[in-house]
Amino acid sequence: FSASFYYAFISRSFYREHLAVLRGRLHYQKSLSNISDSSVLLRRNVHRLEKGLIMQPRRAVFAAAYIGETVDCYLKCLMSGTVIAEEMKWAQDVIGEYFTVVSTTDKNIIECQARFEAAASPFEKGACKPYTQQELPPAPMSFDDLHILFKRRRSVRWYFNDRIDPILIERAVEAASQAPSACNRQPYRFMYFDEPDQVKQVAGLAMGTAGFYQQLPSVFAVVGDLSCYPKERDRHVIYIDAALASMLLMLGLETQGVSTCPINWPDIEPRERKLEKRLGLNTHERVVMLIAAGYADPAGGVPFSQKKSASSLLQTQIVKSAGNVAMAE
């Protein structure tokens, strides 16, 4: 109570975060009727169906509590005609597979199936549904090769002034889209700048860039979207999911000869407001990090940045008795 009183009446350190979370919840509710190119609810529920489909053993009846909501959302998206085709086809195939395997006399599920199957869909039934592990393509890279890639990806601060081929950027973002995210909502986007003045204006607002941001050839702003969630409890997921995708983005660029430097900073209110205004963000969007990118100057210095050893980072759990877990190095 004292902490709540302090941050309500004495300190405004969390003011913008509170506002962003609440605006995100309101925007989420609006998104249920104002369908855009993607539906957060559809993505979440279709992924929930996928997890039910792969359970071992799979229950004869599952998802009864939300299949009606899922079909309603699917039909709304189908009627809107605005949702991207890949998302709609995935939803169609997964929902169709669900009705193929579910075994029930529940009137609600039967009615939902009838409504789903009555809808005319422009997509052929295909393979956008769960598959077995053995169907994955073999990994062409060994652990040693991967480890070299990890060691090669360093935080580079000195670059040539050459622009990056847009195709390389698109390929890296496509790779980043393969990152895992909670319920496959992917609550982030990458804003890319390569005009010199824009790069300086954006990178200069972050702390820790003094002395080198003036010569950065390009920068990404990784933006998290709090409107992907109906509850406050998910407010931190944007940082987890965006960080996972950002690492894949940097690795995807590295394999194409493009170096990067992630830029993060303390949550200082005046700077956050300036960056939000510069990027033209909505209140429910938060900048997770910036990522500088470019062709590295071979003569540019790179910090050694000694890393902690596996033995200092890894802890194993030894279960002594129920409810009593001891940690061992």
Side-chain angles (χ1 to χ4, degrees), residues 3 6-7 11-20 267 269 286:
Y6 177 81
Y7 285 113
S11 171
R12 293 170 63 86
S13 297
F14 291 103
Y15 169 78
R16 213 169 57 84
E17 182 174 1
H18 291 166
L19 180 61
D267 192 342
E269 191 69 14
R286 306 294 307 266

Side-chain angles (χ1 to χ4, degrees), residues 39 42-43 45-47 49-50 67 70-71 73-75 77-78 83-99 116 121 123 128-129:
S39 169
L42 185 65
R43 294 186 68 84
N45 281 4
V46 170
H47 188 63
L49 289 177
E50 286 190 305
I67 188 58
T70 306
V71 171
C73 186
Y74 170 79
L75 296 176
C77 293
L78 197 61
V83 179
I84 57 175
E86 294 84 356
E87 187 168 312
M88 290 303 300
K89 177 168 172 48
W90 169 55
Q92 169 199 267
D93 289 353
V94 172
I95 297 172
E97 182 71 7
Y98 167 79
F99 286 125
F116 171 75
S121 174
F123 310 108
C128 296
K129 53 189 179 183

